[in-house]
Amino acid sequence: LITLVNRDMNKKVKIFSLLFGSMVAISSSILAISTLNSCSSSKEVNGVSARILDSNVQGGKFSFKILENNKVDITKVDELIAPSGLDFNGGKFKYNDVEYQISDISASFTNNNSSIERELTIPKTVERIGDWAFSNCSKITEINFNEGIQTIGSHAFSETTNVINTPIFPKTLKEIRNYAFEGSSIAGDITLSENITKLGEAAFKNCNAIKRIIFNNKLTYIDKCTCMDMNELEAVEIPTSITEIKESAFSNCPKLKDFDFNGGKIEKIGTKAFWHCTGIEHLVFNSEIKLIGDNAFEGCSSIASVDFNNGIKTIGDAAFKDCTGLLYVEDNPLVIVPSIESIGAHAFEGCRSISHISISNREKILPYKSNMFEATYVTKIIVSDQETKEKYNNDNNWKSNPDLLAKITVNE
């Protein structure tokens, strides 16, 4: 058999085959022909015995999609029961005398009456775990990764509620997507390996057995709700590469105590970023921080002091509302540094132990926002000189609250 192929992107392909001395002309619109030894990237194999995938399983079937170089994506499982764990036979299996290598897992292992118990080991051949792959696999007790994994999909391990080990993330891992471990019982101290550049929204939300998270220096922000509702989280390590903490990132983590803003490069703290983190006791902000968002520390009732370094510009609405532990009296007033240009409405509302505030900007007055010091029991707002006091007395917005305006006094 001799095959001659004339390829032209604008014309039909003509194939001439010389077979036993006979010439046959064939006209086709096919633009490319695979060799006999390669498989089409769209070819799917369905209904294969699950024991080929892993000899420990009981019954069941699986389907796979053939990719390049005989790599496969496990796309579906049916009635696969793994009572003694699942390790995918190291990531390789034979079917019709062809050896395949598992590079992707897209199937959901809780759908179609499938179940995994005890230990789950992701073999080194696997590069990607798809969305929802092991979500709600509530009988898994251990999750183990090998070098090779690059992506963990959205909800991939969410609600794995009986896991008792601390998974180790390999150096090959680059991305953990949204909600990947939401509601999982993974435990202990979590270290994000050095090459992770993307950590998705709510990745560890409601993981109530994690006590500590160490973020790597390839991340530039902590995404929305990343560590929200983590009841046992006590400490985090933030590298200098992080410049932003987004909305609700650590919201409602009642045991979180150690959080160092002073040594980092954080510029923005998002809305409700630390909402109701009732364990935080002291806050020292570095000069890099420009914005503290709305409700950022609302309800953090154990905070006793806040030190604003010069550089911060905006304190959002209700940013420190109901921080009832804040204590600022005559010999230790709350210092509003010169760089602060705006304090939002209700920013310090409910901070009942603030009696003295010192505003140190002499060049321009602090814009008045309704109720920004409501229910603080402020008795004095101290400014640097008489000229500054007159600026406040002549400002229409401050005049709208004569009771507060009357508390402005010159530093003696």
Side-chain angles (χ1 to χ4, degrees):
L1 173 64
I2 300 174
T3 304
L4 305 175
V5 181
N6 177 28
R7 300 176 186 271
D8 189 327
M9 297 301 290
N10 297 316
K11 298 179 180 179
K12 291 183 178 180
V13 176
K14 292 186 177 181
I15 304 174
F16 299 92
S17 298
L18 183 61
L19 179 61
F20 303 117
S22 301
M23 180 72 74
V24 180
I26 304 173
S27 178
S28 173
S29 60
I30 300 174
L31 297 179
I33 299 176
S34 300
T35 64
L36 294 176
N37 291 326
S38 65
C39 299
S40 167
S41 61
S42 63
K43 183 178 179 180
E44 295 195 31
V45 179
N46 300 311
V48 179
S49 170
R51 291 187 64 80
I52 296 175
L53 183 65
D54 192 313
S55 58
N56 294 317
V57 303
Q58 296 178 359
K61 295 180 180 181
F62 76 101
S63 302
F64 62 92
K65 184 177 184 178
I66 301 174
L67 310 175
E68 293 180 350
N69 301 318
N70 283 356
K71 292 182 178 182
V72 299
D73 177 7
I74 305 300
T75 56
K76 187 180 180 183
V77 292
D78 293 284
E79 299 181 349
L80 183 154
I81 308 298
S84 58
L86 186 66
D87 64 8
F88 297 93
N89 284 335
K92 295 181 180 180
F93 66 89
K94 277 189 175 181
Y95 178 70
N96 286 349
D97 294 324
V98 178
E99 185 173 279
Y100 295 101
Q101 178 174 297
I102 303 168
S103 64
D104 295 70
I105 300 174
S106 296
S108 171
F109 280 77
T110 52
N111 290 337
N112 304 314
N113 298 314
S114 294
S115 175
I116 304 170
E117 299 179 26
R118 300 172 63 181
E119 185 176 347
L120 171 68
T121 299
I122 305 300
K124 64 182 179 180
T125 63
V126 173
E127 299 171 8
R128 288 164 291 274
I129 298 174
D131 299 347
W132 303 93
F134 300 100
S135 177
N136 289 294
C137 288
S138 58
K139 295 181 180 180
I140 292 175
T141 57
E142 288 188 32
I143 300 172
N144 298 310
F145 298 103
N146 279 288
E147 295 289 339
I149 185 70
Q150 296 178 22
T151 302
I152 298 175
S154 298
H155 296 275
F157 296 96
S158 62
E159 301 301 330
T160 49
T161 52
N162 277 302
V163 175
I164 58 174
N165 75 319
T166 303
I168 297 174
F169 295 120
K171 292 181 180 179
T172 53
L173 185 61
K174 298 177 181 178
E175 182 178 8
I176 299 175
R177 293 183 177 170
N178 299 346
Y179 300 90
F181 292 91
E182 181 194 13
S184 175
S185 59
I186 56 174
D189 295 354
I190 298 294
T191 299
L192 297 178
S193 51
E194 61 194 60
N195 292 311
I196 296 174
T197 57
K198 169 66 177 177
L199 182 64
E201 295 179 18
F204 297 108
K205 180 183 177 184
N206 200 29
C207 290
N208 287 324
I210 294 175
K211 293 185 177 296
R212 184 184 186 90
I213 297 182
I214 301 173
F215 295 89
N216 69 31
N217 60 10
K218 294 288 180 68
L219 297 168
T220 58
Y221 62 88
I222 299 177
D223 214 337
K224 293 190 294 184
C225 306
T226 296
C227 298
M228 182 178 181
D229 297 334
M230 294 177 65
N231 291 338
E232 298 298 319
L233 184 66
E234 297 175 354
V236 294
E237 290 188 20
I238 304 294
T240 54
S241 60
I242 301 290
T243 59
E244 182 178 5
I245 298 176
K246 294 195 173 184
E247 178 182 343
S248 299
F250 295 96
S251 179
N252 199 33
C253 295
K255 292 188 177 181
L256 182 62
K257 291 183 178 180
D258 301 325
F259 203 102
D260 184 11
F261 292 102
N262 195 34
K265 298 291 184 181
I266 297 168
E267 298 176 4
K268 296 180 180 180
I269 300 173
T271 300
K272 291 189 174 181
F274 294 90
W275 183 85
H276 281 258
C277 288
T278 53
I280 296 177
E281 296 177 351
H282 300 282
L283 291 175
V284 179
F285 296 107
N286 63 41
S287 59
E288 304 288 337
I289 291 179
K290 303 295 186 289
L291 169 68
I292 298 175
D294 297 345
N295 310 91
F297 294 93
E298 180 184 350
C300 295
S301 56
S302 296
I303 296 177
S305 63
V306 177
D307 293 337
F308 299 114
N309 273 307
N310 204 29
I312 187 169
K313 293 184 177 181
T314 303
I315 298 174
D317 294 347
F320 295 94
K321 182 181 178 183
D322 294 331
C323 290
T324 54
L326 284 175
L327 178 62
Y328 288 102
V329 293
E330 186 170 5
D331 59 346
N332 180 37
L334 173 63
V335 177
I336 307 300
V337 294
S339 62
I340 293 178
E341 299 174 353
S342 174
I343 296 179
H346 308 280
F348 292 92
E349 180 181 329
C351 300
R352 298 188 296 269
S353 297
I354 297 178
S355 64
H356 286 65
I357 297 170
S358 175
I359 300 176
S360 54
N361 193 335
R362 301 176 61 181
E363 302 299 323
K364 54 185 178 181
I365 68 172
L366 184 69
Y368 175 78
K369 293 287 183 68
S370 64
N371 300 317
M372 60 185 181
F373 298 122
E374 183 179 27
T376 57
Y377 298 100
V378 170
T379 59
K380 282 188 179 182
I381 299 175
I382 305 163
V383 295
S384 58
D385 51 45
Q386 186 63 36
E387 182 181 351
T388 303
K389 180 180 178 180
E390 289 303 317
K391 291 178 181 178
Y392 282 93
N393 287 335
N394 294 326
D395 182 81
N396 289 330
N397 290 322
W398 278 89
K399 286 180 181 179
S400 68
N401 191 333
D403 291 339
L404 192 62
L405 186 61
K407 296 173 181 178
I408 295 178
T409 184
V410 176
N411 188 26
E412 298 177 356

